[in-house]
Tab-separated table of all heavy atoms in Angstrom:
chain	number	residue	atom	x	y	z
K	1	THR	N	22.284	78.990	41.472
K	1	THR	CA	21.483	78.088	40.657
K	1	THR	C	22.225	76.779	40.402
K	1	THR	O	23.449	76.683	40.601
K	1	THR	CB	21.140	78.729	39.314
K	1	THR	OG1	22.366	78.929	38.580
K	1	THR	CG2	20.410	80.050	39.496
K	2	VAL	N	21.495	75.799	39.903
K	2	VAL	CA	22.121	74.534	39.540
K	2	VAL	C	23.235	74.777	38.528
K	2	VAL	O	24.345	74.240	38.646
K	2	VAL	CB	21.081	73.554	38.978
K	2	VAL	CG1	21.771	72.298	38.443
K	2	VAL	CG2	20.056	73.186	40.039
K	3	ALA	N	22.979	75.605	37.528
K	3	ALA	CA	23.982	75.885	36.494
K	3	ALA	C	25.228	76.543	37.088
K	3	ALA	O	26.361	76.203	36.733
K	3	ALA	CB	23.387	76.771	35.406
K	4	ARG	N	25.032	77.479	38.019
K	4	ARG	CA	26.178	78.141	38.647
K	4	ARG	C	26.984	77.137	39.472
K	4	ARG	O	28.229	77.148	39.451
K	4	ARG	CB	25.688	79.292	39.523
K	4	ARG	CG	26.749	79.942	40.406
K	4	ARG	CD	27.724	80.828	39.668
K	4	ARG	NE	28.782	81.333	40.546
K	4	ARG	CZ	28.641	82.353	41.411
K	4	ARG	NH1	27.471	83.010	41.497
K	4	ARG	NH2	29.651	82.745	42.162
K	5	ILE	N	26.307	76.277	40.212
K	5	ILE	CA	26.992	75.277	41.022
K	5	ILE	C	27.842	74.365	40.146
K	5	ILE	O	29.016	74.113	40.435
K	5	ILE	CB	25.971	74.446	41.827
K	5	ILE	CG1	25.322	75.315	42.916
K	5	ILE	CG2	26.631	73.219	42.452
K	5	ILE	CD1	24.107	74.671	43.552
K	6	LEU	N	27.260	73.871	39.057
K	6	LEU	CA	27.999	72.967	38.179
K	6	LEU	C	29.205	73.665	37.556
K	6	LEU	O	30.291	73.085	37.440
K	6	LEU	CB	27.076	72.421	37.093
K	6	LEU	CG	25.964	71.485	37.576
K	6	LEU	CD1	25.042	71.129	36.428
K	6	LEU	CD2	26.542	70.224	38.199
K	7	SER	N	29.023	74.915	37.160
K	7	SER	CA	30.120	75.661	36.557
K	7	SER	C	31.241	75.891	37.563
K	7	SER	O	32.427	75.718	37.251
K	7	SER	CB	29.608	76.997	36.016
K	7	SER	OG	30.650	77.746	35.447
K	8	GLU	N	30.897	76.260	38.786
K	8	GLU	CA	31.896	76.478	39.826
K	8	GLU	C	32.631	75.177	40.165
K	8	GLU	O	33.853	75.162	40.331
K	8	GLU	CB	31.240	77.045	41.085
K	8	GLU	CG	30.716	78.459	40.949
K	8	GLU	CD	31.775	79.504	41.254
K	8	GLU	OE1	32.923	79.125	41.565
K	8	GLU	OE2	31.449	80.703	41.191
K	9	LEU	N	31.875	74.091	40.257
K	9	LEU	CA	32.467	72.806	40.598
K	9	LEU	C	33.422	72.333	39.507
K	9	LEU	O	34.486	71.764	39.784
K	9	LEU	CB	31.365	71.771	40.818
K	9	LEU	CG	31.791	70.376	41.266
K	9	LEU	CD1	32.523	70.430	42.594
K	9	LEU	CD2	30.567	69.470	41.367
K	10	ALA	N	33.051	72.585	38.257
K	10	ALA	CA	33.829	72.092	37.118
K	10	ALA	C	35.053	72.945	36.801
K	10	ALA	O	35.798	72.614	35.877
K	10	ALA	CB	32.932	72.015	35.879
K	11	ALA	N	35.274	74.016	37.547
K	11	ALA	CA	36.458	74.841	37.311
K	11	ALA	C	37.705	74.057	37.713
K	11	ALA	O	38.004	73.898	38.905
K	11	ALA	CB	36.364	76.141	38.102
K	12	GLY	N	38.411	73.530	36.728
K	12	GLY	CA	39.619	72.758	36.985
K	12	GLY	C	39.373	71.351	37.492
K	12	GLY	O	40.316	70.611	37.758
K	13	LEU	N	38.113	70.949	37.648
K	13	LEU	CA	37.753	69.627	38.153
K	13	LEU	C	36.748	69.027	37.185
K	13	LEU	O	35.634	69.554	37.035
K	13	LEU	CB	37.157	69.743	39.558
K	13	LEU	CG	36.815	68.470	40.339
K	13	LEU	CD1	36.669	68.814	41.826
K	13	LEU	CD2	35.520	67.814	39.863
K	14	ALA	N	37.120	67.955	36.517
K	14	ALA	CA	36.229	67.386	35.499
K	14	ALA	C	35.018	66.725	36.135
K	14	ALA	O	35.147	65.880	37.018
K	14	ALA	CB	36.981	66.375	34.645
K	15	LEU	N	33.837	67.124	35.695
K	15	LEU	CA	32.622	66.399	36.030
K	15	LEU	C	32.612	65.105	35.235
K	15	LEU	O	32.957	65.085	34.049
K	15	LEU	CB	31.391	67.234	35.670
K	15	LEU	CG	31.250	68.602	36.335
K	15	LEU	CD1	30.039	69.333	35.783
K	15	LEU	CD2	31.157	68.461	37.843
K	16	GLU	N	32.195	64.018	35.875
K	16	GLU	CA	32.179	62.722	35.217
K	16	GLU	C	30.758	62.173	35.169
K	16	GLU	O	29.951	62.449	36.063
K	16	GLU	CB	33.080	61.731	35.968
K	16	GLU	CG	34.538	62.136	36.066
K	16	GLU	CD	35.283	61.991	34.753
K	16	GLU	OE1	34.706	61.433	33.796
K	16	GLU	OE2	36.455	62.437	34.689
K	17	PRO	N	30.425	61.374	34.143
K	17	PRO	CA	29.090	60.771	34.082
K	17	PRO	C	28.775	60.004	35.363
K	17	PRO	O	29.596	59.232	35.861
K	17	PRO	CB	29.193	59.830	32.877
K	17	PRO	CG	30.231	60.446	32.010
K	17	PRO	CD	31.245	61.030	32.956
K	18	GLY	N	27.585	60.252	35.891
K	18	GLY	CA	27.167	59.602	37.132
K	18	GLY	C	27.476	60.373	38.386
K	18	GLY	O	27.031	59.983	39.480
K	19	ASP	N	28.217	61.476	38.288
K	19	ASP	CA	28.467	62.304	39.470
K	19	ASP	C	27.152	62.814	40.049
K	19	ASP	O	26.226	63.185	39.312
K	19	ASP	CB	29.351	63.502	39.122
K	19	ASP	CG	30.828	63.161	39.074
K	19	ASP	OD1	31.209	62.063	39.521
K	19	ASP	OD2	31.612	64.006	38.590
K	20	LEU	N	27.092	62.867	41.362
K	20	LEU	CA	25.936	63.395	42.081
K	20	LEU	C	26.306	64.756	42.654
K	20	LEU	O	27.311	64.875	43.346
K	20	LEU	CB	25.539	62.457	43.218
K	20	LEU	CG	25.248	60.997	42.837
K	20	LEU	CD1	25.047	60.160	44.086
K	20	LEU	CD2	24.028	60.912	41.928
K	21	VAL	N	25.474	65.750	42.378
K	21	VAL	CA	25.734	67.097	42.872
K	21	VAL	C	24.517	67.561	43.660
K	21	VAL	O	23.464	67.869	43.092
K	21	VAL	CB	26.036	68.074	41.721
K	21	VAL	CG1	26.383	69.456	42.289
K	21	VAL	CG2	27.190	67.553	40.856
K	22	LEU	N	24.649	67.580	45.001
K	22	LEU	CA	23.575	68.043	45.871
K	22	LEU	C	23.617	69.565	45.939
K	22	LEU	O	24.702	70.148	46.027
K	22	LEU	CB	23.727	67.453	47.271
K	22	LEU	CG	23.289	65.998	47.474
K	22	LEU	CD1	24.166	65.020	46.708
K	22	LEU	CD2	23.278	65.644	48.958
K	23	THR	N	22.458	70.206	45.925
K	23	THR	CA	22.406	71.649	45.715
K	23	THR	C	21.981	72.462	46.928
K	23	THR	O	21.671	73.644	46.804
K	23	THR	CB	21.464	71.955	44.538
K	23	THR	OG1	20.149	71.456	44.830
K	23	THR	CG2	21.967	71.329	43.246
K	24	GLY	N	22.008	71.868	48.115
K	24	GLY	CA	21.686	72.630	49.317
K	24	GLY	C	20.267	72.414	49.802
K	24	GLY	O	19.409	71.907	49.070
K	25	THR	N	20.015	72.812	51.044
K	25	THR	CA	18.716	72.583	51.671
K	25	THR	C	18.067	73.893	52.104
K	25	THR	O	18.765	74.843	52.498
K	25	THR	CB	18.863	71.640	52.886
K	25	THR	OG1	17.589	71.075	53.217
K	25	THR	CG2	19.410	72.360	54.117
């Protein structure tokens, strides 16, 4: 899910305002 992707990405890596996160096709 979008929430899982964001959580995985943010592990040790700060998400910043304006970041673009593509979620697959």
Side-chain angles (χ1 to χ4, degrees):
T1 65
V2 173
R4 171 74 185 282
I5 291 168
L6 293 174
S7 179
E8 291 273 0
L9 183 60
L13 185 162
L15 301 175
E16 300 287 352
D19 278 348
L20 304 173
V21 183
L22 282 66
T23 60
T25 199

